[in-house]
Amino acid sequence: MSKSFFGFVKTYKLSKNLTNYLIELVTPFIEPPKRSSALSVQDKVLITLQFFGTGSYQLFTCNSRYSAACQSSVSRNISEVTNALNQPTILNSWVKFPKNIDEYKQVTKRFYMKTGFPGVCGCIDCTRIAIVAPSGNLGAENNYPEHIYVNRKNYHSINTQLISVANLKILRVNALYLGSTHDSHIWNNCNVLPIVQELSRRNQCFYLLGDSGYALRPWLLIPIQNPVNEEELYNTKQMRARSLIERCNGLLKMRFRCLLIHRVLHYAPEKATAIINACVVLHNMYIT
């Protein structure tokens, strides 16, 4: 492959073919240029990809040798493309949980081939995406007090729940909860929970793997506390299989560095949530 190919991927995180597909996908949801000097949809997508891939500072993006736009234009472009990727027709087609038994069986088969752990339809975990301190102006700019966004590691964040499978594709993203929210609370209010509960009631042996922050349930397997004998083997296999979600978290953040703790999303929580969702869609496109 040519150096230009690797240079393009390094800058925009996606291949040229995938970027062209993305441009076609979001074009119906982006306002076309009204004057000759306006940025094209292609330019808007490339600027947004560069921002997602490099960090959270728009000034760096607009000053890049790959871009020729002012900071305000970069801001509008990021909003347009992010909102397009959050459209239900795009988000729900690229981030989706299995819909029928055949799809569950395909997912569990691939997971078993990868890890040797049977019956698993996904690994669940939460990761905290750093944001700037939200406005304290309740009602007008923010619905929650600023301090509720502070997590146990003492920085403001969105607590984002992810469910991934063996190839590190993400089946579900939930980026609606504040940094101080416990992982188990997010799970108890997740729309995937009723699905796996119903499967369990029908005696369908499909499970999620989680860490010890969750409660043990017939549909959610966690490590055994104080294991002995054969339980130690179970713990070893469970934690080894569950490590896939940790790899998924790391891969998502390293590919789209605006999500790294050291970069910090300089946006209101609602906009940060939309950016997280957009990055998950792009991550799944890359995996697929």
Side-chain angles (χ1 to χ4, degrees):
M1 293 185 182
S2 66
K3 290 183 179 179
S4 62
F5 173 84
F6 291 107
F8 187 93
V9 173
K10 185 176 181 180
T11 302
Y12 301 112
K13 304 305 177 182
L14 303 180
S15 68
K16 292 182 180 180
N17 288 338
L18 185 53
T19 302
N20 287 331
Y21 167 78
L22 176 62
I23 292 168
E24 294 178 5
L25 186 67
V26 301
T27 293
F29 305 102
I30 295 180
E31 185 177 356
K34 295 182 178 179
R35 57 186 194 279
S36 59
S37 60
L39 293 173
S40 65
V41 175
Q42 173 180 302
D43 292 331
K44 293 178 179 180
V45 169
L46 291 177
I47 287 173
T48 303
L49 288 178
Q50 188 183 4
F51 167 78
F52 286 166
T54 57
S56 58
Y57 300 106
Q58 295 176 358
L59 189 60
F60 173 82
T61 302
C62 67
N63 286 337
S64 168
R65 65 190 176 97
Y66 299 104
S67 308
C70 63
Q71 187 273 330
S72 59
S73 293
V74 169
S75 179
R76 288 193 298 271
N77 295 340
I78 292 172
S79 294
E80 277 193 90
V81 177
T82 298
N83 291 338
L85 290 171
N86 276 265
Q87 293 293 321
T89 53
I90 296 178
L91 181 62
N92 294 338
S93 64
W94 279 101
V95 186
K96 56 185 178 181
F97 210 69
K99 295 180 180 179
N100 53 57
I101 297 300
D102 288 338
E103 290 185 6
Y104 279 102
K105 289 181 178 179
Q106 292 175 9
V107 170
T108 56
K109 180 180 179 180
R110 287 193 289 266
F111 199 94
Y112 179 76
M113 293 175 64
K114 179 82 172 181
T115 67
F117 206 108
V120 176
C121 60
C123 299
I124 183 171
D125 197 12
C126 286
T127 185
R128 286 166 174 79
I129 308 297
I131 61 173
V132 294
S135 168
N137 189 5
L138 291 179
E141 300 181 28
N142 191 21
N143 295 325
Y144 303 98
E146 169 269 336
H147 68 272
I148 299 182
Y149 288 90
V150 179
N151 60 41
R152 58 185 174 84
K153 295 186 178 179
N154 204 32
Y155 64 89
H156 298 82
S157 65
I158 301 292
N159 196 6
T160 304
Q161 181 192 81
L162 300 175
I163 300 176
S164 73
V165 288
N167 65 349
L168 307 185
K169 188 174 181 180
I170 296 172
L171 301 183
R172 184 71 68 185
V173 56
N174 188 341
L176 297 175
Y177 287 87
L178 319 184
S180 63
T181 310
H182 195 277
D183 296 2
S184 61
H185 176 78
I186 301 176
W187 169 239
N188 289 334
N189 292 274
C190 176
N191 55 11
V192 171
L193 177 57
I195 298 174
V196 292
Q197 286 177 324
E198 180 61 25
L199 288 171
S200 179
R201 280 193 287 267
R202 295 181 181 180
N203 295 319
Q204 298 289 341
C205 298
F206 299 115
Y207 319 102
L208 292 173
L209 297 183
D211 60 22
S212 55
Y214 298 96
L216 177 64
R217 294 290 185 268
W219 49 84
L220 178 57
L221 305 181
I222 66 172
I224 296 173
Q225 299 297 320
N226 303 316
V228 293
N229 300 328
E230 67 273 6
E231 294 175 354
E232 294 180 359
L233 178 60
Y234 161 80
N235 270 13
T236 300
K237 288 185 173 293
Q238 197 272 355
M239 289 186 284
R240 185 178 299 163
R242 184 174 50 80
S243 68
L244 289 172
I245 184 63
E246 296 170 2
R247 289 174 53 197
C248 178
N249 288 340
L251 183 61
L252 174 67
K253 292 181 180 180
M254 290 305 295
R255 180 168 290 134
F256 302 107
R257 290 173 174 256
C258 65
L259 305 181
L260 286 171
I261 181 175
H262 304 297
R263 301 301 171 95
V264 185
L265 287 172
H266 290 246
Y267 297 97
E270 293 78 11
K271 180 70 171 292
T273 292
I275 289 174
I276 295 168
N277 289 343
C279 289
V280 169
V281 170
L282 296 174
H283 168 87
N284 279 356
M285 288 182 180
Y286 187 95
I287 294 293
T288 301

